[in-house]
Amino acid sequence: MYGHVEKLAEEIQKGAASVEGVEAKLWQVPETLSEEILGKMSAPPKSDVPVITPNDLAEADGFVFGFPTRFGMMSAQFKAFLDATGGLWRTQQLAGKPAGIFYSTGSQGGGQETTALTAITQLVHHGMIFVPIGYTFGAGMFEMEQVKGGSPYGAGTYAGDGSRMPSELEFAQAFHQGKYIAGITKKLKAAA
């Protein structure tokens, strides 16, 4: 809504594109809130990132899904999009494809890990392979001197009231996640 997920997604895309032979695309899910409601929430205009359809997923070799957190779970917009993937689920067109997740929460207690845990169920039903970053980001995972989102599940940021943008450390973790998952996706595709 306020651009936090998109900013992290841009870094993830850069990380993925840094792997030779990998093309990474940014998409956004359809908005479910009316313009009137978005206006009352002081949401800025949507970016020009293309809106994805469920069938677009079938063309990809792997995914890194990002979403804001609402009450400890992915936003309703993203859940509505995944609910529309029943045809892909029925034919298991996403089975065996690697997928990671990243997120933005309003606070440190806002659901960084619960959002990840509840999102994994969507991947499991599609037969996707969940690819967490674990502690592969190294020392950045143990940073205690500054506020940093993210976890072994994936990159993340804290948005606060919407005015805090991702830090350089959070951007670095997002870049790492993109590069890490792109490398795994490339290896899996080559082995197929």
Side-chain angles (χ1 to χ4, degrees):
M1 182 172 301
Y2 300 107
H4 297 81
V5 170
E6 184 175 357
K7 294 291 185 205
L8 289 178
E10 290 167 353
E11 289 300 313
I12 287 171
Q13 181 184 33
K14 289 176 192 174
S18 75
V19 176
E20 186 179 338
V22 171
E23 176 189 1
K25 295 181 182 179
L26 287 184
W27 299 88
Q28 64 179 319
V29 298
E31 180 57 71
T32 58
L33 299 176
S34 70
E35 290 298 324
E36 178 185 359
I37 298 297
L38 290 169
K40 289 179 180 181
M41 298 174 82
S42 301
K46 292 290 178 192
S47 74
D48 59 356
V49 171
V51 174
I52 194 169
T53 66
N55 288 334
D56 292 322
L57 293 174
E59 302 302 317
D61 296 322
F63 315 96
V64 186
F65 297 120
F67 28 78
T69 296
R70 298 292 183 264
F71 305 108
M73 298 185 292
M74 71 176 64
S75 66
Q77 292 90 333
F78 208 94
K79 179 67 168 70
F81 172 74
L82 289 175
D83 285 348
T85 62
L88 296 172
W89 165 78
R90 187 172 43 259
T91 57
Q92 286 294 285
Q93 289 184 60
L94 306 180
K97 294 186 179 190
I101 54 177
F102 66 102
Y103 32 79
S104 172
T105 61
S107 67
Q108 290 178 325
Q112 294 264 319
E113 289 196 351
T114 60
T115 299
L117 287 170
T118 57
I120 291 169
T121 61
Q122 308 296 314
L123 308 181
V124 168
H125 282 271
H126 277 286
M128 289 185 250
I129 302 166
F130 176 53
V131 181
I133 60 171
Y135 285 86
T136 62
F137 185 51
M141 294 297 291
F142 301 97
E143 172 59 42
M144 299 296 284
E145 299 302 316
Q146 60 178 304
V147 174
K148 182 194 79 66
S151 73
Y153 296 97
T157 189
Y158 296 114
D161 63 1
S163 62
R164 180 190 183 272
M165 282 293 131
S167 68
E168 290 304 314
L169 185 59
E170 290 167 331
F171 281 140
Q173 185 178 35
F175 182 93
H176 170 76
Q177 182 173 13
K179 184 176 182 178
Y180 182 72
I181 291 178
I184 290 171
T185 301
K186 185 177 176 179
K187 287 176 189 174
L188 287 172
K189 184 176 180 181

